[in-house]
Each structure stands twice: as C-alpha cells, then as structure tokens.
Amino acid sequence: MYPQELYYTKQHEWIRVDADTGTIGITDYAQNALGDIVYVELPAAGEVVTAKESFGTVESVKAVSDVYAPVSGKILAANGKLQDSPELLNSDPHGEAWLLRIQLGDRSEIDPLLSADQYEAYLKEEEGNK
Amino acid sequence: MNQSTVTSKRTPLFDTHKSLGAKLIDFGGWSMPVDYGSITEEHLAVRTAAGLFDVSHMGEIEILGPQALELVQKVTSNDAARLKDGAAQYTALTYPEGSAVDDCVVHRLEEHRYLFCVNAANTEKDFEWMSGHNDLNAEVRNVSEDYAQLALQGPRAKEIISPLVEVDLSSLRYYNFVFTRCSGVECLLARTGYSGEDGFEVYLPPSDSVRLWNTLLDQGREAGLLPAGLGARNTLRLEAGYPLYGHELDETISLLEAGLGWICKLQKESFIGKEALLRQKKEGLQRRLVGLEMKSRAIARDGYPLYVGEKRVGAVTSGSVAPFLKKNIALAYVPVEVSEVGTSLEVGIRARRETARIVPLPFYKRHK
C-alpha cells in the first residue's frame, strides 16, 4: 500500500527524493479520511515552503484540511492538473496527484521522517487508539 | 480526524454501519455515519434513485391528553389546529423573542395525541421547554428511546417501499402518515424528509431497525438505492435550501429573518413569540437569509466572513459544494439593504476575497 521509496509524516504527507528534488503529496490514508476531494489550493512556483508549516489546503465535500511541508525548499512546480481534476487525489494520491516539486534545502530534514513501515505501524497504533 | 466517539450514543444500527464501511463522526452527541465511502455518490443516488439514512438520533416527544392541542398551540408557531389525524406539519418551538428553541415536525396521531420529531442535540432542551410551559395539565413525554427512524429518500423511494407495505402509497400525500406494517414491522410511515426529494420517514421499534434496514437495502438494490450518511444529508438539505438548527437557526435568529414566516401563523390566538414576530413584521427586518453562489471554484464554509467593499456585513452559516448542481453554494445572513438577488458580495477565504452572487432560494427544486 505505502511505497517503500517514499518518506512520510504523522500529518499524512509523503515526499519522494530524487537527487536535489523533492516531490510532495498526501497519503492514501489522508485522502480516504477526507473523502471526495473537490478543491486544492497550492502556492506558485518560486515561493518557498518551510518544514512543518502549512503550504496549502485540500478540501473535500465535508472539510478543509491544511497540508504541511515535510521539509523546506523552493517550489519548482505545483501540480496544475489538480485544479481541474482534484479527484485524482482520491484515485492516485502517491502518483499522479502529487502536489509540489521542490528544490531541497537542508537534506538533514529528511532524517526524522518515517519510512513506509514506520508510517504503517503509526497508522495501526492510531487506529488502536480510537 | 474525529476521535471523540468514545462517549457518543449509538443507534441500534451502529454495528451495521461499521460493517458497511461507514466513517463515523460525533453529531449532536451521537456516533453517526458521515458517509459509506463517497458523499458525492450518496448525494447523487438520492437525487436520481434513492438513499437510505439512519436518522435514529432524532428525538421524539409526545404531548397527550385533552389539553394536548392547547399546549402544542402555545409552544409552536404554526397552526396545529389545522392538522387532522394522519397529518404532519413543519413548525418551530419559539422563544418570546421570535427565535427558535428548535425546528421540528409535529404529527397528529389522534385527537389528543401529538408526536414531535426534533433535532437530536435539542431533545432534552425541547422537552424541558415544553414541560416548563405546561401549565395546562397536558402530558409531555420524551419517547426518543421508543423509536428508531429510517429515512428512504429519492425519486424511486415509493417504488422501493411499496411492495413492503400494506397500504396504497399513491393515496399517501406529502406530509401525511399512516400506521402500517413495513415488511412485517409495525411502524409509523410518513411521507416526509429533509432531502428535497420525495421520500418516506419510518418510525419503528429500535429492535426491528436492523432487519428493516437490510430488507430495504435488498429491495432497492436494483433501483440504485445506496446507504447514505449525514454528509449527504447535509449537502442535500443545503441544495434544497432547508435550514439546519445551529447554523441557520438559533436563539438569536428570528424565524422571519430565516425566511420561515410561512410557519408563523400570526393570526393564531396566541403563542410564545407571537408579539415579537408581529412587532418585527411591522418594523421591518434588519437582516435576511440569502443563498450565495460562488463565482470561482473556491468553497465558502461555515463561519467565513462576508464583505461589501471593506465593510464586514455577515458570515456564512452553511457552505459546501453542491454535488448535484455542480456549483459552490452557501447560506448566509446579510443586511436587508444588500440582500437583493443579483447582489455581489465577497467571501473572506483564508487570506483572499472571492466573489459570490446572491441567487434565489432554494438552489434546487425537484420536478413534481
């Protein structure tokens, strides 16, 4: 379910790291919890995101949810497809429905992020607390 | 994520919802299904086929005895004297200020016996209010525990439920009800609802509710019936322009401001709030409930501020995407000077302002 090559946060974002570039999205758990996603608001290329700070919003029929940056960096691109097809976030959250590509800043910010196994263990633990 | 389900009350269908994969949320002190996967699909099913809702959280209060009608007339704004046995009426319990203690449906079961269906979160408050104004020797009983309630809503609701009941539903008009058996279950079957579609609300013993739920789902499968949660219930009622207590109605909002003048029968001899409503009618209103349609794809949500120029003029009371209309809509109170259809307002959405236009209510009206 959760690709091994991604890193995860407890706020249910993921990041894929390719050399100096990071691709950021929300997890399958997040899209499922939100339900039908109908609107996405993202910053523009050239702006800067800061680790653990909100950079945009994802809205489902019933709720508005902030999205937090797993790491800091300068935005190279925002996924324009999501403006017209926000429902891609429900169908392919770890792939086609990425949110931002960024130029990575401080690579040590990746270290505290969760591996796929750690994230799944975290989800199980959360489920158990309900 | 909502994790406050620990202390919430459960309807008899709680386990059924879980096994259907429902997402559960706390609503008015109850753990209720918000959806079974997709609010949009459930909403569209109700508009085009049918949806089945567990609304067992709703409260039921009875007023009985020779003085029953007199007490009903005293505490409600509509005219219950017009009801015959088997007829129901949308009404409000009113404060002396002309605002709503609650909005509810009253059913005349028999000459000296009325059944109110009230909002779950208001049940205790309503019961206390009715009891507190009962100087007439009527009997007021909170009978919520005696009833589960299922709502079957949508253009195909009638054909789905007809084979299960012993009465000819063609002769059951909107806002009328019968006592019958539905798949062998003794129930009160009312042609009422909160979706803007034709449909039925079934009041039945809690112990029979799982069986009837499953029977109805089986019966309606081929017609496209889906189980539907409170998420769709909310977007459906918003498209239909129906108020929701705690949003469009509360103790500070006059029924006239809410556009509910049609349930305020001011020629009635007397009722709590009548003088205030008469005065407001004479003096004119300061604000009014309006429907808004967003010009952009941005979604106005509950509580977002409204502006005309730099002046803050009100706030959104309910806002969402409208899954059937495919528009972004909202309800809001605005000063009467800026309440005309066609007026442009701005909605504060995070750091931005987005344009909204006042449109006629309701947003959606079914073809009869």
Side-chain angles (χ1 to χ4, degrees), chain B residues 166-333:
Chain B
E166 296 170 346
V167 290
D168 175 17
L169 295 178
S170 300
S171 58
L172 183 65
R173 297 205 320 272
Y174 194 53
Y175 264 78
N176 279 248
F177 65 90
V178 286
F179 290 102
T180 185
R181 273 194 291 272
C182 186
S183 186
V185 175
E186 298 277 354
C187 64
L188 186 164
L189 179 70
R191 197 157 196 169
T192 50
Y194 193 50
S195 65
E197 297 301 329
D198 186 19
F200 301 86
E201 291 177 310
V202 190
Y203 298 76
L204 72 166
S207 56
D208 291 322
S209 59
V210 171
R211 189 160 63 84
L212 186 59
W213 171 273
N214 289 327
T215 303
L216 283 168
L217 278 187
D218 283 345
Q219 187 75 21
R221 189 156 292 128
E222 278 184 28
L225 173 68
L226 292 181
L230 293 187
R233 186 168 158 88
N234 186 51
T235 50
L236 287 159
R237 71 89 194 170
L238 181 57
E239 277 187 347
Y242 296 155
L244 172 62
Y245 198 90
H247 292 250
E248 286 73 39
L249 295 172
D250 66 28
E251 70 279 3
T252 68
I253 298 166
S254 151
L255 289 171
L256 300 180
E257 293 172 331
L260 295 179
W262 65 278
I263 62 164
C264 298
K265 298 293 158 37
L266 300 175
Q267 70 280 18
K268 209 170 83 174
E269 198 176 333
S270 77
F271 64 92
I272 297 168
K274 180 182 169 182
E275 288 71 26
L277 290 164
L278 278 171
R279 191 174 59 246
Q280 291 162 19
K281 198 172 175 186
K282 186 159 154 262
E283 292 172 359
L285 302 176
Q286 302 294 305
R287 60 178 179 172
R288 171 184 297 163
L289 186 70
V290 295
L292 297 173
E293 190 181 309
M294 302 301 295
K295 282 192 79 173
S296 72
R297 297 188 62 143
I299 303 163
R301 302 281 183 177
D302 309 9
Y304 287 6
L306 290 170
Y307 301 91
V308 171
E310 282 311 300
K311 190 166 179 241
R312 185 172 166 167
V313 296
V316 170
T317 50
S318 295
S320 174
V321 294
F324 183 77
L325 299 173
K326 296 191 167 38
K327 290 170 179 170
N328 296 338
I329 59 173
L331 292 171
Y333 283 96

Side-chain angles (χ1 to χ4, degrees), chain B residues 7-113:
Chain B
T7 56
S8 303
K9 285 186 266 189
R10 295 174 174 189
T11 79
L13 288 150
F14 180 82
D15 290 328
T16 308
H17 300 317
K18 280 195 119 173
S19 66
L20 286 166
K23 256 179 244 145
L24 297 160
I25 54 156
D26 181 272
F27 181 81
W30 292 77
S31 181
M32 298 298 291
V34 63
D35 65 64
Y36 301 84
S38 168
I39 293 174
T40 307
E41 279 174 29
E42 292 161 26
H43 182 114
L44 296 178
V46 173
R47 287 273 179 262
T48 60
L52 183 63
F53 301 81
D54 174 18
V55 287
S56 302
H57 61 309
M58 301 295 282
E60 287 85 11
I61 298 172
E62 267 191 29
I63 297 184
L64 309 88
Q67 270 71 49
L69 177 60
E70 211 179 326
L71 179 57
V72 173
Q73 291 289 63
K74 178 181 173 182
V75 295
T76 62
S77 60
N78 209 334
D79 186 4
R82 296 181 185 186
L83 292 174
K84 297 186 171 69
D85 288 355
Q89 180 179 76
Y90 180 60
T91 190
L93 295 172
T94 36
Y95 286 115
E97 294 78 16
S99 58
V101 179
D102 200 1
D103 65 326
C104 42
V105 176
V106 59
H107 307 73
R108 179 168 141 160
L109 304 182
E110 47 193 71
E111 190 186 355
H112 298 312
R113 194 164 162 229

